[in-house]
Amino acid sequence: MYDYLIIGAGAAGCSIAHFLKKAGKNVAIIDRDGVASGASGAAGAFLSPLAGKKNLYNSFVNDSLSFSLDFYKKLSSESLIKRGVLRVADKNFSKETLNELKNEHYSSKKLQTLCSDFKEIEGFFYKNAGHINPAEISKKMIAECDFYKKEIVELTYKEGVYEADGVRAKSVILTQGVSSSLVDAPYIEINPIFGLRLDAKTTTKIPFNIHKSISISTNKKDNTIAIGATQQRHDSTQMLCNTSCDKCSFYVDDQKAQVEYLLKKAYELIELKDLEVIKTYKGARASIKSYFPVVGELIDYEATLEKHPSIKNGTKIPKESLLYHQNIYIINALGSRGFVFAPYLAKILSQYLLEKKEIADEISTQKLFFKYARKKRD
Ligand SMILES: Cc1cc2nc3c(=O)[nH]c(=O)nc-3n(C[C@H](O)[C@H](O)[C@H](O)COP(=O)(O)OP(=O)(O)OC[C@H]3O[C@@H](n4cnc5c(N)ncnc54)[C@H](O)[C@@H]3O)c2cc1C
């Protein structure tokens, strides 16, 4: 009998497993394909700040980043490569936006002195950035937890105990990414955003990560680099992402074009000498409209609306009066910043579970619940 059963061993699941285990809980984690096999295995995994005038979202991203960089350094300093990132202006981030925090400007001449392979570009240098090996980090996070490779098709609940394919626990945390949720939560409207990243060999020595719509990493220990990532939404007939990327015709047919796109974008920034693509990785990011991730206790949608039908017309009901699925929690919708968000969200959820510390409204299940209930009032 476990205290917590976590379903999904990506960045989200491994992070919360780690925090709960460290707090002395008995934790099991399950994944049908192994650790970091979903979006998490495909991630760059670049850890970069979000530029621009301070607002709720970029403050959340940048707070997560500081926490997570520190967390990864303590967990495994050799798995974190923190040499900063050069941000080059594009249509989404103008020079003014990138210079909001008065970052150091790197002229084309200065870049040439650092590495003669830089193209005629200029940018702003952000020190607080790096990248990690996502699979290595995920495995380290759950080194002390019990891991089961199983596909869970059903969760049963009897006399205060959950059971998933023979594994029993008092509480369940769903960290399933784009897969269909094992517990009905229609108000968490996940959209998959596909992506491809590649690893390549090059003799060019890249002094720091570079980002302009795509990212190029500095050289890793084995001298390879990561280039990522493309972003593609399923067309409307394929919105439900229930298959692995390798089996999805939408994806497989498009792979060559995506690799070419990434390389073309990379060459606009730097000459990559003796380049050889050694591996491509594919995955689907789970995203919701607000871009904020979601964390907390799962609300029973139907039962709550049956008890409080006036919620549909905008009546405010205190959080405590909503009806919840017993001891079921979620971390999801990490979007394109899964490894930036995951440890921070795990800290937030563990503090909620162990200390009853409130979860901020913008990332709460309640916010999505009220919004969805009002939208669906007809
Ligand atoms: C190409 C690409 C590049 C990216 N680059 C970056 C980056 O540079 N930096 C960054 O921070 N983020 C990046 N991301 C985003 C990041 O990878 C994701 O946000 C993050 O990995 C999501 O983690 P997760 O744990 O929520 O989901 P996932 O990693 O998808 O994990 C969910 C897991 O749940 C398992 N699962 C689901 N249902 C069941 C079930 N019923 N039974 C058993 N197992 C189940 C799945 O097998 C899967 O392994 C990138 C994503 C992609 C696709």
Side-chain angles (χ1 to χ4, degrees):
M1 169 76 91
Y2 290 95
D3 296 317
Y4 291 96
L5 167 60
I6 294 153
I7 302 179
C14 294
S15 297
I16 187 62
H18 180 86
F19 276 79
L20 292 171
K21 186 73 195 174
K22 280 263 166 255
K25 299 293 170 189
N26 197 7
V27 179
I29 180 162
I30 290 183
D31 200 294
R32 62 172 162 242
D33 292 322
V35 181
S37 57
S40 300
F46 298 94
L47 309 169
S48 304
L50 184 55
K53 270 206 171 62
K54 212 171 169 183
N55 60 34
L56 202 57
Y57 184 67
N58 64 20
S59 299
F60 182 77
V61 171
N62 294 331
D63 289 349
S64 299
L65 178 72
S66 297
F67 180 84
S68 299
L69 282 170
D70 195 43
F71 169 80
Y72 293 131
K73 190 171 164 203
K74 285 186 192 136
L75 178 77
S76 170
S77 58
E78 69 281 4
S79 308
L80 169 69
I81 304 178
K82 188 174 171 233
R83 296 192 199 129
V85 62
L86 178 80
R87 293 289 313 263
V88 181
D90 62 14
K91 66 177 182 343
N92 294 321
F93 290 91
S94 65
K95 278 191 201 171
E96 292 67 39
T97 306
L98 292 180
N99 197 25
E100 197 72 52
L101 300 173
K102 303 278 168 264
N103 296 75
E104 198 178 342
H105 177 255
Y106 280 21
S107 65
S108 166
K109 203 163 147 208
K110 173 157 184 168
L111 289 171
Q112 289 286 329
T113 61
L114 294 170
C115 169
S116 59
D117 292 319
F118 272 111
K119 299 284 174 67
E120 280 284 308
I121 57 168
E122 55 172 332
F124 294 88
F125 185 68
Y126 290 68
K127 238 178 17 200
N128 212 24
H131 63 107
I132 50 170
N133 177 326
E136 194 178 286
I137 283 279
S138 302
K139 284 179 189 150
K140 283 208 166 128
M141 286 197 279
I142 59 160
E144 287 165 27
C145 302
D146 290 349
F147 174 77
Y148 299 89
K149 193 169 172 194
K150 288 171 184 280
E151 161 123 44
I152 304 305
V153 288
E154 195 190 14
L155 257 184
T156 57
Y157 183 66
K158 209 170 142 195
E159 292 163 8
V161 178
Y162 282 100
E163 184 166 340
D165 196 4
V167 184
R168 301 170 79 233
K170 294 177 208 155
S171 299
V172 170
I173 303 176
L174 299 176
T175 49
Q176 294 182 258
V178 292
S179 299
S180 300
S181 177
L182 283 161
V183 178
D184 197 34
Y187 49 93
I188 302 178
E189 297 178 280
I190 299 280
N191 288 318
I193 304 176
F194 268 136
L196 180 141
R197 145 226 161 190
L198 59 86
D199 280 356
K201 278 187 191 159
T202 175
T203 50
T204 298
K205 298 277 174 265
I206 307 172
F208 30 70
N209 296 346
I210 313 166
H211 181 85
K212 180 190 175 186
S213 73
I214 60 125
S215 299
I216 308 171
S217 78
T218 177
N219 310 73
K220 302 181 208 177
K221 275 173 281 176
D222 60 1
N223 248 334
T224 60
I225 58 163
I227 304 179
T230 54
Q231 293 212 1
Q232 289 187 313
R233 288 176 192 270
H234 264 180
D235 68 38
S236 54
T237 55
Q238 290 174 300
M239 277 312 282
L240 246 194
C241 183
N242 284 326
T243 176
S244 77
C245 298
D246 287 334
K247 291 183 200 132
C248 173
S249 57
F250 171 83
Y251 213 134
V252 171
D253 296 349
D254 205 30
Q255 168 154 337
K256 192 164 165 269
Q258 292 195 57
V259 170
E260 281 168 5
Y261 170 84
L262 286 178
L263 295 182
K264 178 173 164 278
K265 288 285 172 196
Y267 279 122
E268 286 170 15
L269 300 167
I270 193 163
E271 182 66 34
L272 296 169
K273 288 191 184 131
D274 309 309
L275 187 89
E276 186 194 338
V277 175
I278 48 174
K279 196 163 176 186
T280 56
Y281 301 81
K282 293 168 271 177
R285 310 156 176 93
S287 162
I288 53 179
K289 256 195 187 141
S290 70
Y291 290 112
F292 277 104
V294 58
V295 57
E297 205 162 354
L298 268 192
I299 299 154
D300 187 331
Y301 183 74
E302 296 298 338
T304 302
L305 287 185
E306 203 174 304
K307 188 169 176 211
H308 304 288
S310 63
I311 288 176
K312 289 184 181 175
N313 301 322
T315 305
K316 270 270 177 201
I317 302 280
K319 284 180 189 176
E320 312 75 65
S321 304
L322 304 176
L323 301 180
Y324 293 88
H325 290 287
Q326 281 294 308
N327 300 333
I328 299 200
Y329 308 88
I330 190 168
I331 304 181
N332 209 336
L334 275 59
S336 294
R337 297 180 184 272
F339 281 90
V340 175
F341 287 149
Y344 193 55
L345 295 171
K347 182 193 80 161
I348 290 171
L349 183 58
S350 62
Q351 286 180 336
Y352 175 76
L353 294 170
L354 308 173
E355 302 159 26
K356 280 282 155 224
K357 191 168 175 197
E358 284 265 314
I359 292 174
D361 191 44
E362 61 273 14
I363 52 171
S364 69
T365 52
Q366 290 87 2
K367 172 141 186 152
L368 295 177
F369 167 81
F370 283 118
K371 208 168 161 208
Y372 185 83
R374 283 168 204 153
K375 192 172 80 182
K376 292 277 163 185
R377 69 177 154 203
D378 333 318

